[in-house]
Amino acid sequence: MDTTSLRGHPLLGRIDPPLWAWTLEASDLLTVARGGVVYGPGRFRRCLGVVLRGRIEVRRESILMAALSAGDVFGAAALFNDSPDYPTTLTALSPCQTLLIPETRIRALLRQCPAFAEDYAAYLSGRIQFLSQRLEAVSSPSPEGKLARYLLPAEGDALTLSATALCQRLGVGRATLYRAFETLEGAGAIAREGKTIRILSRDALKNVISENRRESLP
């Protein structure tokens, strides 16, 4: 099993080599063809998954939640509970291969490897913040507020995403999205070049969000 791509991984990179080898003995490789379901409401395993190669989209019903690529982690919602369903559907956008680490090994790592326990707590904290920010973006009363909330936590100063995908993530129509673009561009917060959105000023994004909050107050 070739997991060299995981060296230095933010979640798995601090596990001692012998303990990591022991973990891999119980783990499986899952290969899925393009268009295949990796995880779904009635099709999942009590495992923590790591993408080794390929791209995967994550949807909850019609809403596009995220796009995963090599190194990204999924499956935390399948662990430490007895829910019969998984909350999202993961579909392979290209031929992909994932590593599935069973819950029993995750439990053992949490007990035996303090560094992994710290990194796992940090990973879950990051997921909570990500989902909270996405929820705020979708629930914001104005389209420019939704867009500003979505862009503010983006890594780096540029985001490449089609208008169709962004409409799905924010729950708005294309015409509404373009009006929101114009508002943020007019505020000096962003600039657009095709599918790429460049973030010019996060302070300006915060100002749009603050103004949006004030307008929503009774």
Side-chain angles (χ1 to χ4, degrees):
M1 184 182 299
D2 183 10
T3 60
T4 54
S5 62
L6 299 181
R7 290 174 182 168
H9 190 275
L11 178 59
L12 308 171
R14 294 203 292 163
I15 301 173
D16 293 336
L19 191 56
W20 178 237
W22 176 78
T23 299
L24 291 178
E25 289 177 359
S27 302
D28 291 327
L29 283 177
L30 175 65
T31 300
V32 180
R34 179 181 178 182
V37 175
V38 180
Y39 263 35
R43 183 178 178 180
F44 68 99
R45 293 170 59 179
R46 303 289 179 189
C47 295
L48 188 70
V50 187
V51 182
L52 298 180
R53 62 177 179 87
R55 295 172 55 245
I56 298 170
E57 72 169 15
V58 183
R59 288 183 178 271
R60 184 172 183 126
E61 297 178 352
S62 62
I63 300 176
L64 181 62
M65 300 292 291
L68 308 180
S69 57
D72 288 331
V73 177
F74 64 91
L79 305 181
F80 310 115
N81 67 79
D82 57 1
S83 174
D85 292 318
Y86 193 71
T88 57
T89 299
L90 281 66
T91 305
L93 297 177
S94 65
C96 66
Q97 187 176 63
T98 65
L99 174 69
L100 298 182
I101 305 173
E103 181 180 305
T104 54
R105 286 300 196 257
I106 297 298
R107 288 181 181 273
L109 288 172
L110 290 171
R111 291 193 300 266
Q112 299 178 38
C113 183
F116 173 78
E118 291 179 1
D119 293 338
Y120 191 70
Y123 162 71
L124 293 180
S125 178
R127 295 306 302 164
I128 291 170
Q129 292 181 16
F130 172 84
L131 293 174
S132 177
Q133 290 160 352
R134 289 296 180 261
L135 179 59
E136 285 187 1
V138 173
S139 62
S140 182
S142 75
E144 58 268 20
K146 290 183 178 182
L147 182 57
R149 287 180 184 274
Y150 185 86
L151 296 175
L152 185 60
E155 296 183 3
D157 294 326
L159 178 70
T160 301
L161 190 67
S162 71
T164 299
L166 195 51
C167 285
Q168 292 174 333
R169 296 189 185 189
L170 299 180
V172 300
R174 185 177 289 266
T176 300
L177 176 64
Y178 282 112
R179 287 195 294 271
F181 277 143
E182 291 175 359
T183 299
L184 296 191
E185 287 176 313
I190 66 169
R192 288 183 299 138
E193 299 172 358
K195 294 182 179 180
T196 299
I197 305 169
R198 291 192 296 114
I199 299 173
L200 303 179
S201 171
R202 280 186 161 78
D203 286 339
L205 290 176
K206 292 176 183 177
N207 289 338
V208 171
I209 294 170
S210 296
E211 186 64 29
N212 189 242
R213 284 172 178 163
R214 285 193 292 270
E215 292 175 355
S216 67
L217 291 176

